[in-house]
Amino acid sequence: MLQQYKHILVAIDGSYESELAFQKAVAVAKRNDGELFLIHIVDTRAFNNVSSFDSAMVQQVADTAKETMSGYIEQAHKAGLEKVSYSIEYGAPKTIIARDVPKQKDIDLIMIGATGLNAVERLLIGSVTEYVTRNARCDVLVVRTDLNNKPALASTKKPKEKPAE
């Protein structure tokens, strides 16, 4: 029997890699007649270091996330996917993506970008993707390539222009 994924989770963090994961997840959900669930996590640890913390800052982050997620929902609908929803959560992205949401939503596939962090951030706090691949109880697909299956980093560079003859 062919494996079908019916409940697909995509973590959206604003990175190019998460954009690629979203695009590929739409295609997987369409092929499997599955439901796509998008999640954006506001990492509350980032606010612990802000001395002038106020709720207006959190609200601004949440409003921006809602706009972004609405745009993704619209893209999915335009691509022909009807079963798509999102959630904005607050807390530690690692455990929310790997454990909490998959259990709540009966997720059978997590699609996640290879990394949204720079090298220093990965060293200090660890990669969310690495944690998810080690701790999730469902299948995890780490997206490393663009829609043409070229390495994601290569596709962010502009192609060289041909010299004028």
Side-chain angles (χ1 to χ4, degrees):
M1 185 172 142
L2 183 64
Q3 170 67 46
Q4 286 194 310
Y5 295 107
K6 292 296 185 184
H7 306 281
I8 302 160
L9 173 66
V10 181
I12 304 292
D13 66 2
S15 69
Y16 176 69
E17 289 83 0
S18 73
E19 169 72 23
L20 294 177
F22 164 76
Q23 291 174 7
K24 288 189 173 191
V26 168
V28 170
K30 284 177 61 176
R31 280 194 305 269
N32 287 274
D33 190 32
E35 177 182 359
L36 186 60
F37 186 74
L38 311 176
I39 186 149
H40 176 83
I41 293 111
V42 177
D43 190 344
T44 53
R45 295 172 301 175
F47 295 108
N48 291 338
N49 298 328
V50 178
S51 59
S52 61
F53 174 78
D54 65 65
S55 60
M57 187 184 310
V58 175
Q59 188 61 46
Q60 184 178 10
V61 169
D63 290 344
T64 301
K66 285 178 188 175
E67 273 183 46
T68 301
M69 298 303 261
S70 294
Y72 279 111
I73 296 288
E74 187 177 321
Q75 284 181 46
H77 286 310
K78 284 181 181 177
L81 186 62
E82 291 302 317
K83 295 183 269 184
V84 58
S85 59
Y86 77 88
S87 177
I88 297 170
E89 303 289 331
Y90 299 86
K94 292 177 180 181
T95 55
I96 292 172
I97 296 167
R99 295 185 185 148
D100 300 345
V101 172
K103 186 176 180 181
Q104 294 166 3
K105 299 288 185 180
D106 194 28
I107 299 296
D108 50 19
L109 176 65
I110 299 171
M111 293 182 70
I112 190 167
T115 181
L117 302 175
N118 64 39
V120 174
E121 290 171 321
R122 282 193 304 275
L123 178 65
L124 295 175
I125 65 173
S127 167
V128 172
T129 301
E130 180 184 355
Y131 183 89
V132 171
T133 58
R134 285 188 286 119
N135 293 284
R137 294 184 179 212
C138 63
D139 288 347
V140 177
L141 190 148
V142 178
V143 176
R144 299 181 186 280
T145 60
D146 64 17
L147 295 176
N148 297 315
N149 289 325
K150 303 288 184 216
L153 294 177
S155 62
T156 60
K157 298 177 184 174
K158 289 185 177 180
K160 292 183 180 179
E161 293 182 29
K162 291 183 180 180
E165 293 182 18

